Amino acid sequence: MPNAQIYWHLPILLLLVSLVYSAVRSDDWRQILTATWRWALYMVLMFLAPVFLILWFFSEIAPRWW
Amino acid sequence: MPGKQSPQTSASPYPDLLAGLLSFVVPGLGQIWQGWRWRRPGRLLKGVVLLLVLHGMFFYGQALGEWKNVFLPQYQQTLDEKFRIFNFPLPDGLANVWWRPAYAAQFWMGISAWPAVWNYCFPESRVFAHYQRSPGALPGNPTRWERDQDIKQFHKKINDLQLRPDMGKYWDVGLLYTMLAGVLNLLVIYEAYAGPFDSTVRTAPPNTASSADNP
């Protein structure tokens, strides 16, 4: 897949956004780091994974049916 | 339980307008200032991390776009009449941001993104040569045609850049980094001004609560 290496930026962006978002919620570093992982995981499972599944379905599965 | 506690006690050091302004100018600086002033190393470290992360994102994004993805153009100045929204003619500045909405996000990155505004307003004394230069902004009294040619030349350059095989989608990724850094700094500015969003941690630590004027 051409340009596939740009997807390596995705986990980096996810972690950075989660880190900043968690950092503005608390001053306690243990809470910040825990929340960073939790938000990153949450975004992967609740947003990216469903989007990936929908796109995968329409590109790989659906074409076999029609 | 947040509901059982008062969100702000008399010892609360927030809101802190100066820290908000500092974080607006340099992301994370407000938190660094507060951490130093209140002797709270955790907050100071948080400011340093925010400063490094946001500047890292912004400059890395610019580097991916070969330092040509942050600019505020002078498009409106080349038009015969002002651009209108709901029949309301937009002033030049607003119309140009309308045409380049990415800059509306990048602007909030603070002083790192403001050379674009300087170059937009004062093309005769540009800062950092071609860094964040404003297409269409020429020194003296350029004609509309000259502005138009300058904009076309700039867009040819960035179009060629985007069509380069080794660039691929990196242009878009770079733009995303710069815009995200600016938007995330909005959270950082508000956090410096109003305190951590979790209301239970907005009070001052015990060692500073005894002093009424500190902070």
Side-chain angles (χ1 to χ4, degrees):
Chain A
M1 189 161 54
N3 284 316
Q5 62 270 35
I6 65 161
Y7 294 106
W8 286 109
H9 290 270
L10 196 59
I12 298 170
L13 275 170
L14 264 178
L15 277 176
L16 292 178
V17 171
S18 302
L19 175 64
V20 175
Y21 184 70
S22 307
V24 296
R25 292 187 66 80
S26 172
D27 271 349
D28 177 35
W29 270 95
R30 188 173 296 178
Q31 277 183 29
I32 291 173
L33 294 176
T34 311
T36 299
W37 292 111
R38 202 173 56 227
W39 271 110
L41 195 65
Y42 184 82
M43 281 198 277
V44 168
L45 293 178
M46 302 303 286
F47 179 69
L48 291 178
V51 169
F52 172 80
L53 284 176
I54 291 166
L55 292 177
W56 176 75
F57 174 81
F58 281 108
S59 70
E60 300 293 329
I61 305 297
R64 293 179 200 165
W65 294 350
W66 60 73
Chain B
M1 290 284 287
K4 289 185 176 176
Q5 294 183 9
S6 169
Q8 289 195 351
T9 68
S10 57
S12 173
Y14 304 105
D16 187 347
L17 186 63
L18 175 64
L21 286 173
L22 285 174
S23 277
F24 179 36
V25 177
V26 178
L29 191 61
Q31 283 82 355
I32 293 174
W33 161 244
Q34 289 169 331
W36 177 77
R37 192 171 44 156
W38 303 335
R39 306 284 185 270
R40 290 161 75 174
R43 190 157 181 83
L44 195 147
L45 177 66
K46 183 166 96 174
V48 172
V49 169
L50 289 171
L51 187 145
L52 292 176
V53 165
L54 293 181
H55 280 94
M57 287 173 74
F58 188 71
F59 285 104
Y60 182 60
Q62 282 193 95
L64 283 178
E66 303 214 348
W67 309 95
K68 287 186 177 60
N69 51 11
V70 178
F71 61 88
L72 183 59
Q74 290 202 355
Y75 293 154
Q76 167 123 313
Q77 285 84 339
T78 66
L79 302 178
D80 291 332
E81 56 183 67
K82 289 188 184 300
F83 177 70
R84 288 169 177 270
I85 294 180
F86 300 119
N87 214 22
F88 175 75
L90 286 185
D92 289 352
L94 273 182
N96 288 317
V97 173
W98 176 271
W99 292 115
R100 178 68 186 166
Y103 190 72
Q106 293 161 341
F107 171 79
W108 300 101
M109 190 50 206
I111 204 162
S112 314
W114 294 347
V117 178
W118 179 277
N119 293 332
Y120 175 90
C121 297
F122 309 108
E124 64 282 353
S125 55
R126 279 182 198 149
V127 285
F128 310 125
H130 290 282
Y131 176 71
Q132 296 184 3
R133 66 157 293 214
S134 171
L138 297 169
N141 288 314
T143 61
R144 202 180 293 158
W145 184 85
E146 284 169 330
R147 283 185 196 280
D148 200 39
Q149 291 304 305
D150 186 57
I151 289 170
K152 279 180 181 157
Q153 211 174 7
F154 179 81
H155 279 285
K156 185 181 179 321
K157 264 186 205 162
I158 58 172
N159 286 345
D160 290 346
L161 192 63
Q162 290 174 68
L163 291 172
R164 236 172 48 193
D166 62 322
M167 177 57 82
K169 292 283 181 194
Y170 281 115
W171 176 269
D172 302 304
V173 176
L175 193 63
L176 181 65
Y177 269 104
T178 57
M179 290 169 67
L180 265 180
V183 172
L184 287 175
N185 196 40
L186 281 174
L187 294 178
V188 175
I189 293 166
Y190 190 71
E191 200 268 356
Y193 170 73
F197 294 1
D198 180 355
S199 61
T200 56
V201 295
R202 272 188 218 145
T203 52
N207 59 337
T208 58
S210 57
S211 166
D213 59 344
N214 182 24

